[in-house]
Amino acid sequence: ASPHFLRTSPFPSTPTKTMAAISQQALCAKTSVAGAKLNAKRVSQRKAVKAFSARAQAVAAPAGTSLKKGVVTGDDYIAVMNHARANGYAIPAVNCTMSPIINACLEAAKKANAPMIIQFSNGGGAYMAGKGLKNESDQKAAVMGCVAGALHVRALAEFYGVPIILHTDHCSKALLPWFDGLLEANEEYFAKHGEPLFSSHMLDLSEESIEENMEISAKYLKRMAAINCFLEVEIGITGGEEDGVDNSDANPEDLYSKPEEIHQVYQALNPVAPGMFSIAAAFGNVHGVYSPGNVKLTPTILQKGQAYIKEKEGLATDKPVYFVFHGGSGSSRKDIREAIGYGVIKMNIDTDTQWSFWDGVKDYVAEKSPYLQGQIGNPEGAEKPNKKYYDPRMWMRAAEEATCKRLLEAYEDLNATGAMTK
């Protein structure tokens, strides 16, 4: 018989008619957790939190080839981040909305011989579930799409021979039902496999006061630490627009985090689960891509934040927190490398990979245009078939190749090419 994880819906209230429209992959992706059983497990899991946190702090950055291959979570994920920090590189994080983009990421990671972060936004998850399924306020479609994407990655990642991190992107307060659904899936997976389905998740409560942001984040971090799942938080505002969130008119002052705010995050989260969180601090970065000179990055904000925490907490390390670089598309290599020097271990790339994916299709259509005007008839003859040219695998492969090429450039920018040999 199929295991419970593969045959039971986490959403018993979902109408049968609606469920029939969901792909088999999404059906296999859904999970359920019996409340009483989960509560009993949480008791024992919480006892492991402090022990895990201590291990996380003690995990050394091992030689590159000793990093675990395939999806990494818990100690293995911490080891990858410490390896990146110790060797002066950062890991690209790509928003994926379909399997061809996932496959392009895996291919690029293999070619670069370096780790990769595959992440899903709320909208991306809903798209993965299929646009024929409406994403209601309960966010079930987004949850199922993200879980389906994660299972796709888990089925393939190990064969590509590099560490792969599974992550979800911005989650505002309004989208917390999505976050809750993801954690339920993680807890179910953890109960069966001893690790969470995802490596990490992001809470973006930057629109709330920093006090409320940290209060909610700390509660979720405690729950996540019990299953060895990592948390990313955001303070300040990343400008621009992404996945339906538009901060184009944000107050310029909010685009730059203060050292005291970064320290406030450390004070709120480190006692809950030391070393199990990262910070997306604002240093002038924006979502989207803009003409040179329109984005005023100030990476030294990150340096000041690290120094402030070190001084206030009396720490020996120069980089007490992991930083995340949002809005990386279009940034100069100089700014990227400087930010890495101050503790950035992850950089988000979305706009540039969206363009590369389209660019590959555009160039393919331009090159093969005479063969794409009808099913039959091309320059080789009026009766010649064109099936091999309009086959989706042909033009989709062109999109994958263009995206892989762009990601290899990102690996160079991030000083991450050949990271597994460092």
Side-chain angles (χ1 to χ4, degrees):
S2 299
H4 179 68
F5 175 76
L6 294 178
R7 58 185 168 83
T8 307
S9 166
F11 313 118
S13 62
T14 304
T16 301
K17 184 176 180 181
T18 301
M19 295 301 296
I22 305 173
S23 68
Q24 184 63 35
Q25 182 187 33
L27 283 171
C28 292
K30 294 181 292 181
T31 60
S32 68
V33 180
K37 182 179 178 181
L38 178 59
N39 288 335
K41 287 184 177 294
R42 280 180 178 168
V43 173
S44 60
Q45 289 167 2
R46 288 190 188 105
K47 293 179 180 178
V49 175
K50 291 185 179 179
F52 173 79
S53 297
R55 293 198 312 276
Q57 291 298 290
V59 171
T65 53
S66 70
L67 294 173
K68 181 187 174 185
K69 300 172 180 63
V71 174
V72 293
T73 64
D75 285 348
D76 293 318
Y77 179 30
I78 298 292
V80 172
M81 289 191 295
N82 287 346
H83 184 261
R85 185 162 60 181
N87 289 279
Y89 70 90
I91 307 165
V94 183
N95 283 55
C96 296
T97 55
M98 60 186 73
S99 60
I101 299 177
I102 291 173
N103 294 343
C105 291
L106 293 172
E107 181 178 354
K110 180 180 179 180
K111 288 182 176 180
N113 196 23
M116 165 65 74
I117 298 173
I118 291 175
Q119 62 188 25
F120 306 99
S121 66
N122 178 269
Y127 191 88
M128 286 287 295
K131 296 301 286 184
L133 181 63
K134 187 176 180 180
N135 193 33
E136 306 283 1
S137 59
D138 55 16
Q139 302 299 319
K140 291 177 182 177
V143 171
M144 289 187 288
C146 290
V147 171
L151 290 174
H152 173 84
V153 173
R154 278 191 170 275
L156 298 173
E158 188 173 355
F159 298 101
Y160 283 82
V162 293
I164 301 296
I165 294 96
L166 277 170
H167 181 70
T168 58
D169 207 5
H170 299 267
C171 178
S172 65
K173 189 175 180 180
L175 296 179
L176 287 179
W178 173 51
F179 205 87
D180 292 332
L182 292 170
L183 290 192
E184 289 174 7
N186 278 311
E187 288 163 339
E188 170 76 7
Y189 197 89
F190 182 88
K192 294 183 178 298
H193 303 282
E195 67 173 342
L197 177 59
F198 289 84
S199 313
S200 57
H201 297 287
M202 179 191 184
L203 274 177
D204 180 2
L205 304 175
S206 56
E207 292 183 344
E208 318 306 323
S209 69
I210 193 168
E211 291 77 16
E212 183 178 8
N213 184 344
M214 290 302 100
E215 180 183 359
I216 296 174
S217 296
K219 289 179 180 178
Y220 275 107
L221 178 57
K222 183 177 180 180
R223 180 179 173 184
M224 294 170 70
I227 54 171
N228 299 346
C229 195
F230 194 87
L231 176 66
E232 177 185 328
V233 298
E234 178 164 340
I235 56 173
I237 292 177
T238 301
E241 187 273 335
E242 182 181 53
D243 204 41
V245 178
D246 191 349
N247 290 325
S248 301
D249 297 326
N251 185 339
E253 183 179 304
D254 294 332
L255 299 179
Y256 301 92
S257 298
K258 301 176 179 61
E260 294 83 0
E261 293 171 333
I262 298 172
H263 182 223
Q264 198 168 342
V265 176
Y266 182 91
Q267 286 181 308
L269 301 185
N270 205 60
V272 176
M276 290 187 66
F277 62 93
S278 60
I279 305 173
F283 57 102
N285 38 327
V286 299
H287 291 130
V289 62
Y290 301 87
S291 300
N294 286 342
V295 178
K296 308 293 184 183
L297 288 178
T298 311
T300 51
I301 284 175
L302 307 180
Q303 180 188 39
K304 292 175 181 177
Q306 298 278 31
Y308 190 86
I309 294 173
K310 177 182 179 180
E311 177 188 353
K312 293 296 182 181
E313 300 294 327
L315 303 174
T317 178
D318 290 330
K319 299 173 185 176
V321 295
Y322 302 110
F323 279 127
V324 173
F325 185 165
H326 278 246
S329 293
S331 300
S332 72
R333 179 172 293 183
K334 176 181 177 296
D335 285 336
I336 292 171
R337 295 279 180 92
E338 183 180 357
I340 292 170
Y342 302 144
V344 164
I345 45 81
K346 168 182 180 275
M347 186 178 83
N348 286 15
I349 305 169
D350 183 28
T351 303
D352 281 0
T353 49
Q354 287 180 354
W355 173 258
S356 66
F357 201 80
W358 158 246
D359 204 32
V361 175
K362 176 173 64 69
D363 289 349
Y364 178 85
V365 171
E367 179 185 351
K368 306 296 184 182
S369 180
Y371 299 86
L372 300 172
Q373 304 309 309
Q375 288 186 284
I376 299 174
N378 60 49
E380 298 174 20
E383 300 301 320
K384 291 288 185 179
N386 294 316
K387 184 179 186 300
K388 66 179 180 180
Y389 298 103
Y390 63 76
D391 184 330
R393 290 172 294 181
M394 299 301 292
W395 47 268
M396 196 70 79
R397 178 56 187 160
E400 291 176 349
E401 289 174 336
T403 299
C404 182
K405 179 181 178 182
R406 176 62 186 87
L407 288 173
L408 290 176
E409 294 173 7
Y411 273 113
E412 285 293 322
D413 291 339
L414 295 167
N415 196 34
T417 302
M420 294 293 282
T421 63
K422 294 185 179 183

